[in-house]
DNA sequence: GTCTATAACTAGATAGAC
DNA sequence: GTCTATCTAGTTATAGAC
């Protein structure tokens, strides 16, 4: 479905990147409910027909946005995640990610794409595939963290990974409301809590399970 | 904006409830991106003009959905939340809520409304007001829980409330994807973790903070 | 309070000129 | 590879009959 001649006046690669960037902005500012080929094209200053030429459909473009963001984030945070060795450090990386990406609205855009996946099996499949680089990276990090704790045999790695991802996405969903909720304060609090838990874990014997 | 003559062949109250119910189903099955006055009316078997007569606009209806759900849930879970006295018990109530509401898709519908609030200040305001009964209830519960722990002076109640809500909503957002992610397994895991933390807290002196 | 009909507009998608 | 023009269908919202 994707064309592949990089020898016109404009390269396909560059145009595709422009379109993806415009879609990201549209998702961030107008939300999935307000998205359309025309609203995206207006934002990027190109013709709406280009979206269908390069991505086949608006949904195809949304999948491309998810993949692009997943890959970019993976490359950007893999080094930091590789050095995480405590819960507090994991939260610190999450906080850095929040600080750096919140302004740009990239995580907010992702929550919008996820919301849009409801009721569209094709979009669901495409997105969950697109996010694999990122979920794999986070999962591996959590695996390593768990290895040293009393939770080792108690907590399936995938569940904890999902919970961490869910917490993060949920925060973005909620801070989208103009409530008094501040991500800054929330992450500061979570860092304190993480330090306390780290301390408890270090000073405790493996506890009784249920 | 809302009419108020309950003496026709059909009472306004009943019709409004029918419309809200149909909107909830539409949000759950088609998502915010697929919502329209016509898709809602089709589902409920009534005329789309009714939505504008009773709620002024589709957005007005979405706010009504949020309020209705917030009030229903508050009434339903207030008794259980009033008896919560440990983290594990709080997770247990969350699990009951998940079990009971997941099938019905009511939480999924809420995540869709929240996603729709992006880019619509009016919707944002309406929704965050509508949710107040519920957030107040959860906040008070967490307040009580915190009082007995080393986190007492460390954790602003609002932050923890937001984190709990975010986690819950994020889980619904993620389980919407057809991934292998199961809410059942996730909550079972969280119950185990909560028990461990409860145990650690009981056996530990107030720790050093940073 | 609920319906039909309609106005005014926007959507996704494609054909064909350039 | 990008544009204009266009088709078809769906959109919100309102007037006015019942």
């Amino acid at each position: 479905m994707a064309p592949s001649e990089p020898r016109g006046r404009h390269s396909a690669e560059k145009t595709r990147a422009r379109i993806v960037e415009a879609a990201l902005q549209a998702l961030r500012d107008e939300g999935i409910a307000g998205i359309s080929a025309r609203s995206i094209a207006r934002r990027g200053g190109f013709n709406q027909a280009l979206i269908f030429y390069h991505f086949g459909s608006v949904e195809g473009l949304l999948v491309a946005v998810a993949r692009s963001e997943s890959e970019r984030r993976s490359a950007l945070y893999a080094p930091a995640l590789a050095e995480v060795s405590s819960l507090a450090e994991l939260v610190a990386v999450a906080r850095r990610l929040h600080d750096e990406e919140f302004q740009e609205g990239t995580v907010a855009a992702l929550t919008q794409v996820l919301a849009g996946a409801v009721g569209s099996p094709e979009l669901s499949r495409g997105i969950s595939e697109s996010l694999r680089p990122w979920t794999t990276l986070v999962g591996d990090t959590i695996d390593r963290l768990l290895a040293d704790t009393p939770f080792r045999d108690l907590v399936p790695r995938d569940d904890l990974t999902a919970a961490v991802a869910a917490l993060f996405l949920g925060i973005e969903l909620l801070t989208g409301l103009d409530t008094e909720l501040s991500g800054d304060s929330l992450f500061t609090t979570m860092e304190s809590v993480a330090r306390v838990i780290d301390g408890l874990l270090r000073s405790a014997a493996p506890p009784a399970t249920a």
Side-chain angles (χ1 to χ4, degrees), chain A residues 13-14 18 23 36 40 61-62 79 92-93 100 140 143 154 159 166-167 175 188 196 205:
Chain A
E13 271 314 294
K14 277 199 164 172
R18 260 182 84 201
S36 74
I40 296 167
L61 171 54
L62 297 182
V93 174
E100 292 177 353
D140 289 349
D143 239 3
L154 195 65
D159 282 346
L167 180 57
T175 49
T188 300
V196 172

Side-chain angles (χ1 to χ4, degrees), chain A residues 11 21 46 49 58 65 68 78 108 145 148-149 155 195 197 199 210:
Chain A
S11 82
E21 174 61 26
F46 49 81
V58 174
V65 170
S68 155
L145 263 187
D148 297 332
T149 75
V155 178
R195 269 191 295 269
I197 293 180

Side-chain angles (χ1 to χ4, degrees), chain A residues 11-84:
Chain A
S11 82
E13 271 314 294
K14 277 199 164 172
T15 303
R16 289 169 65 94
R18 260 182 84 201
I19 297 174
V20 166
E21 174 61 26
L24 189 75
Q25 290 177 17
L27 280 168
R28 180 237 287 152
D29 295 345
E30 301 172 40
I32 187 75
I35 221 75
S36 74
R38 292 176 143 89
S39 72
I40 296 167
R42 212 176 301 128
R43 200 169 285 266
F46 49 81
N47 194 278
Q48 58 101 13
L50 272 184
I51 290 172
F52 300 96
Y53 177 76
H54 284 288
F55 298 95
S57 68
V58 174
E59 292 206 344
L61 171 54
L62 297 182
V63 171
V65 170
R67 186 171 49 243
S68 155
E69 280 299 298
S70 174
E71 287 169 359
R72 182 187 61 77
R73 253 203 297 278
S74 298
L76 202 52
Y77 295 97
L81 285 174
E83 292 186 9
V84 162

